[in-house]
Amino acid sequence: MQNLQSLGGMFALLAIAWAISENRRGVAWRQAAMALGVTFVTAVILLKVPAVTRAFSAANDAVGAIANATRAGTSFVFGYLGGGQLPYELKVPGAEFVLALQALPIVLVMSVLTTLLFHWRILPPIVRGFSWLLERTLKVGGAVGLSTAANIFLGMVEAPLFIRPYLATLTRSELFIVMTGGIAGTVLVLYATLLGSIVPNAAAHFVIASVMGAPAAILISLIMVPEESSKLSEKEPVQVGPVASSTMDAIVRGTAAGLELLLNICAMLIVLVALVHLADAIIGLLPAVGGAPITFERLLGYAMAPICWLMGIPWDQAPAAGALMGVKTVLNELIAYVELSKLPADALDPRSRLIMLYALCGFANFGSLGIMIGGLATMAPTRRDDVVALGLKSIVSGTLATLLMGAIVGVLTSATQ
């Protein structure tokens, strides 16, 4: 029954995208149907084909190796605060964990590894392969295909850098696809570390979500902002340029980029958590409802519960899931994943946790919107007005894309899993 609920929710989410489309009559339904088919088939192959599932499960071992390597570095620099041996007897389990010094530094190592893999020309052929598939199956331009494929491995600003010379000539619809984007591989390892203890094979699911996110983002974008121009961007393959001049240069550049990301994450966490507490303090002045105080998360939970129910979440679990979805949209996905990792065991069943892992896997939030607008406006000053105009729409499209992924996973996952 829950699988049918997810199936109905999948089409309901597409209907929402169509209802808020800029041009409902202009939607290319054949292209949209192909994008939906590609997204669904991708999910089936990655989640249900045993050989592929086993291959992606190896991602968990890779995450463990990267986490251990990072722990070696942080414990060397920060001692027991960074995960080294404690100089005292631990009396409160978990009290030794320091997020900023033990988990977050993983983004530093991942940033360096990603830069090295691009410099060694290991990732570029993979990116071009994904780009080629998107171009051939979904009929998108070469620049759009490359940016969307690069988003599987890079962030929402880094990926468009590969097509910087083409940004000024993209159509409005193509620019919207670029803005809808996905999630970066540099932070997937961090999220997998946070959820590894509550979601089996969390790292594999994050990699799968990143791959599924490409056709899902294109699908929602094509419905919300249909292509109206007969002249699309360059269809010829766009080459991935060099990212560094040497291996050491790649390490230095990757470290600098990772440090900027790490400091930004730490600062945003401090500010956003503080703002939530302030909001709770203000809202707490209102009288209690149902014997419990009104909180920011509770309000978000009620607002987003129907949307989470559409994905296949049981109604009694929908408020908890809705609160996570609200936190992800208003604040960011990292705080939502941290909150998911701290939920009581009975708040969400295993199937609901898996659906939420996919539903939260995206950059569609107000904090990221500012970063994206600033980055794209700098790269393509002549398109600044279009970028700003499409900004809020990209939050909606990005959210619908991850919700669609959650619904598809709900269709393919039984309640006993």
Side-chain angles (χ1 to χ4, degrees):
M1 184 62 183
Q2 289 180 351
N3 300 87
L4 293 177
Q5 179 182 331
S6 296
L7 182 63
M10 185 175 75
F11 289 103
L13 291 169
L14 293 176
I16 292 173
W18 175 78
I20 58 178
S21 172
E22 287 188 352
N23 182 8
R24 289 191 286 272
R25 293 184 178 180
V27 176
W29 288 111
R30 180 176 296 180
Q31 190 179 14
M34 179 63 73
L36 177 60
V38 169
T39 306
F40 197 87
V41 170
T42 300
V44 171
I45 293 174
L46 299 183
L47 291 170
K48 293 300 182 180
V49 177
V52 178
T53 303
R54 284 193 297 270
F56 272 88
S57 294
N60 296 289
D61 298 329
V63 167
I66 294 171
N68 290 335
T70 305
R71 182 66 59 89
T74 55
S75 61
F76 179 79
V77 175
F78 300 113
Y80 69 91
L81 293 176
Q85 185 175 0
L86 296 175
Y88 54 84
E89 181 182 354
L90 183 65
K91 296 183 178 180
V92 181
E96 81 284 6
F97 179 72
V98 182
L99 181 65
L101 302 181
Q102 294 180 26
L104 296 185
I106 285 178
V107 300
L108 271 175
V109 179
M110 278 303 300
S111 177
V112 172
L113 289 177
T114 303
T115 308
L116 282 173
L117 291 175
F118 267 101
H119 172 65
W120 290 336
R121 313 305 291 175
I122 295 174
L123 277 183
I126 299 175
V127 172
R128 283 197 297 269
F130 278 112
S131 175
W132 182 86
L133 287 174
L134 293 173
E135 293 168 36
R136 293 300 180 273
T137 56
L138 305 183
K139 308 302 180 185
V140 295
V144 174
L146 178 60
S147 177
T148 306
N151 236 322
I152 298 173
F153 307 97
L154 301 172
M156 58 189 169
V157 175
E158 295 91 337
L161 278 172
F162 285 113
I163 62 166
R164 184 171 185 169
Y166 303 89
L167 286 174
T169 59
L170 294 181
T171 66
R172 179 180 172 85
S173 178
E174 289 177 325
L175 182 63
F176 189 59
I177 294 174
V178 171
M179 293 177 65
T180 298
I183 195 80
T186 48
V187 291
L188 289 186
V189 176
L190 169 60
Y191 301 158
T193 303
L194 291 173
L195 299 189
S197 61
I198 64 170
V199 178
N201 295 322
H205 284 295
F206 274 114
V207 176
I208 292 170
S210 188
V211 175
M212 282 179 61
I218 292 175
L219 167 60
I220 298 297
S221 300
L222 289 174
I223 294 176
M224 287 186 59
V225 182
E227 184 59 69
E228 297 180 354
S229 173
S230 59
K231 183 181 179 182
L232 299 182
S233 67
E234 182 62 55
K235 286 287 185 179
E236 294 301 318
V238 180
Q239 297 300 316
V240 178
V243 296
S245 59
S246 66
T247 296
M248 184 53 67
D249 184 40
I251 293 174
V252 172
R253 288 174 179 269
T255 303
L259 179 60
E260 182 180 0
L261 178 60
L262 175 61
L263 292 176
N264 182 63
I265 290 174
C266 289
M268 290 297 290
L269 282 176
I270 293 171
V271 171
L272 294 176
V273 171
L275 290 175
V276 169
H277 277 268
L278 284 174
D280 280 341
I282 295 172
I283 297 172
L285 298 175
L286 299 173
V289 176
I294 300 175
T295 64
F296 183 65
E297 288 189 16
R298 190 179 177 191
L299 291 176
L300 291 175
Y302 289 139
M304 299 293 288
I307 298 295
C308 291
W309 180 83
L310 287 176
M311 292 190 295
I313 304 287
W315 184 250
D316 60 330
Q317 301 174 28
L324 295 173
M325 205 68 215
V327 167
K328 179 258 182 190
T329 304
V330 176
L331 301 179
N332 63 36
E333 74 283 352
L334 174 56
I335 295 179
Y337 280 129
V338 170
E339 293 299 319
L340 175 58
S341 69
K342 296 191 297 185
L343 280 181
D346 59 349
L348 296 175
D349 61 35
R351 178 177 178 273
S352 297
R353 289 177 187 270
L354 182 60
I355 290 175
M356 291 309 300
L357 181 151
Y358 284 82
L360 298 173
C361 193
F363 284 132
N365 57 71
F366 289 98
S368 297
L369 175 62
I371 298 173
M372 179 175 61
I373 289 177
L376 289 177
T378 301
M379 285 184 270
T382 59
R383 303 304 301 274
R384 185 183 182 280
D385 290 343
D386 285 328
V387 170
V388 173
L390 293 171
L392 290 178
K393 285 181 181 290
S394 70
I395 292 182
V396 178
S397 63
T399 301
L400 287 174
T402 57
L403 289 171
L404 180 65
M405 290 196 300
I408 291 174
V409 171
V411 172
L412 299 175
T413 307
S414 64
T416 58
Q417 286 185 261

